Each structure stands twice: as C-alpha cells, then as structure tokens.
Amino acid sequence: MTRPLRFGLVGTGYWARSTHAPALAASAADGIEFTSVWGRNATAVAELAARHQATPYQDFDAFLASVDAVDFAVPPDVQAPLATRAARAGKHLLLEKPIALSEPEADELAAAVSQAQVASVVFFTARFQADVRAWLAEVTATGGWAGGQAIWLGTALQPDSPFNTPWRRVKGGLWDLAPHVISLLWASLGPVTAVTAEAGPADVTHLILHHTNGASASVTVTLSAPESAAVARLELWGTAGRSAAPLETDQPTAPLRTALAELAANARAGQLSHPCDVRFGRAVGQVLADAQHQRDAHHGQPG
C-alpha cells in the first residue's frame, strides 16, 4: 500500500483554522495525512496542532523535514519566500492566491517550483467547485463568447470581518478578489493578453481585460462595500446569449479538499502541471501587477 503523503500547514489565522486545517483533516481518503503545523505564534501553533493531533513546529526547516507537501494559509507576502524555501526543499505546494505581492517574488517562487520539479496548485476557490467546473465545460464547449462582465462588491474591510487583515487593507480588492474573477474569465474567454485599470474611491478598481481570441471583459472589485451593497456576479455574452457563472461557495472546505486531492494525485504521479499551478498563479499575478502600476501612475496607492 502506498503510504499517505504527509502534509504540513503553514499558518494559524482565521482562514487556516476555519478552512485549511479542517480540509486537511478530512482528506485521509485521498491519501493525505495532516501531520504538522508551523506558525509564528507558538501558542496558536500548539493549539491548532493539538486540535488535529498534529505536531507543532516553530523551526521552519524542522517543519519542512517532517512533511512531503505544504499547505499555505498565510498572507501572500509571507507565503512567497516560505513557499520558495519549501519548493527548494523538494516539497509539493498548495498555495493561496495571489501567490506573491511583487513580480520578483512571484518569479522566484515559480522558478523554484520548476527547478525542484515539485507539483503545485493555487487555490482559486471557484475553480475547484463542481458546479463552476460544469459551467466552464459548458461555456467552453458552446463557444462564440464575445465578452464578459463581473462585479464583486465585497465587505472584508468592514470592522467586524475576520478578513479585515493588514495586507487586504493595503492591497484591496484588486489583489484579493480580482484573482478569482480573472481566473474564471481566463478559463472561459482565453488567456488575458492586456489589462486597462482605473481606480475608484477607496480600494475600488475597474479593469478591462483583453483576451487572446479578441474577447474583452469588464471587472469591478472592492473590499470596502457596505453589507447592503454586497454582490458577486460574473456572466458571459455572445452568439449563444448570456451565461451566468455559479456563485463562489461560502463553504470553501469542500473545494479545498478537491484542490488538495488533485495536488496529492499529481505529486504521486510525477505530474507537475495543473490548470491552476504556480505558473498560472504567476500569470494572474502579472495582470494584477500591471493593473497596480496603472493605479499608482494615475491615482496613487489604493486606500
């Protein structure tokens, strides 16, 4: 019998506790053993590890030595250098989006994954939902789409949100929500070849995405909407009419289990490519960085 792949979790915050740790703990049937937890807060590490019968670590190298794969649930500026170290140590990677907050760090991480020949998956949540995958299969088979439009008015910057974190307050909806939207439009309309960006009030960002087949899509995102205005919607239009994508789930543990299972299967098979691997995460990050440069040039940093 093939032994389970030993997975370690990096992070002890809300997202790690509410989604990543439960997904890892529920993945034994996929040949995954949740063995280790690393974080910067010793008390939080000990508590989360004890909850899941895992071993707590604060020495990152010792943590890496204990696992075959690493699941990251930390801010992107923390994730990028640690994931690069993990890849160089030969560990397979489950990454959060965006994979980094700077192009050099994203390039370094992608290069480390390629050089180490490890498997990688980036958790663009909707891309691992069964209903969204069925929709993508349907719209790509139909074809003839001339464009798309998406709006995501999120509320993460409300004072009581568990997602009101320092990196989101600095980078806003462009870096937190737009990756999900870009990922879906990329899969349905083709790769993004160029982006035009404009800033609205606070962290509001408007994007026009240009795709390889000539299609274009408009996107508006923000994290600073009030609860009464919250909405998430994406649709395509073309010769077949209009088609709306299913909403991103508010129960992300199930799609994360799918992402973990696919990473584990690829790792065992020596399959290094995945539709949402680190190279795709880097490509989405390049679109974000281009949009950020345009925001900065015209309006300064997002509020």
Side-chain angles (χ1 to χ4, degrees), residues 127-145:
R127 293 289 299 273
F128 296 91
Q129 291 178 215
D131 57 349
V132 174
R133 286 183 165 182
W135 175 79
L136 284 171
E138 178 184 345
V139 297
T140 53
T142 301
W145 304 107

Side-chain angles (χ1 to χ4, degrees), residues 25-204:
S27 294
D30 298 310
I32 289 172
E33 183 182 6
F34 181 17
T35 64
S36 310
V37 178
W38 178 91
R40 294 166 289 180
N41 182 313
T43 300
V45 170
E47 290 176 352
L48 185 56
R51 189 180 308 163
H52 296 283
Q53 295 78 54
T55 302
Y57 288 89
Q58 279 200 285
D59 182 293
F60 192 64
D61 290 325
F63 166 81
L64 289 179
S66 74
V67 300
D68 304 303
V70 182
D71 178 7
F72 286 87
V74 288
D77 55 325
V78 178
Q79 171 178 261
L82 293 177
T84 299
R85 286 174 62 184
R88 289 173 177 160
K91 311 305 174 181
H92 307 290
L93 308 178
L94 192 291
L95 301 164
E96 277 290 345
K97 43 49 58 187
I99 64 168
L101 293 180
S102 75
E103 291 178 275
E105 284 194 322
D107 292 345
E108 185 177 17
L109 173 54
V113 169
S114 177
Q115 290 163 5
Q117 294 289 283
V118 294
S120 63
V121 167
V122 183
F123 184 47
F124 294 94
T125 309
R127 293 289 299 273
F128 296 91
Q129 291 178 215
D131 57 349
V132 174
R133 286 183 165 182
W135 175 79
L136 284 171
E138 178 184 345
V139 297
T140 53
T142 301
W145 304 107
Q149 54 188 9
I151 183 170
W152 195 339
L153 307 182
T155 61
L157 296 187
Q158 293 298 310
D160 59 348
S161 172
F163 298 106
N164 188 344
T165 54
W167 82 267
R168 289 185 175 90
R169 291 194 290 272
V170 172
K171 305 303 283 188
L174 173 62
W175 288 84
D176 188 34
L177 301 182
H180 293 291
V181 175
I182 293 168
S183 171
L184 288 175
L185 291 169
W186 193 299
S188 55
L189 296 178
V192 175
T193 58
V195 61
T196 304
E198 276 292 342
D203 75 312
V204 174

Side-chain angles (χ1 to χ4, degrees), residues 13 20 22 28 62 76-77 109 127 170 194 203 209 225 237 247 250 261 298:
H20 282 262
D77 55 325
L109 173 54
R127 293 289 299 273
V170 172
D203 75 312
L209 303 177
W237 65 273
L247 295 177
D250 60 359
H298 294 104

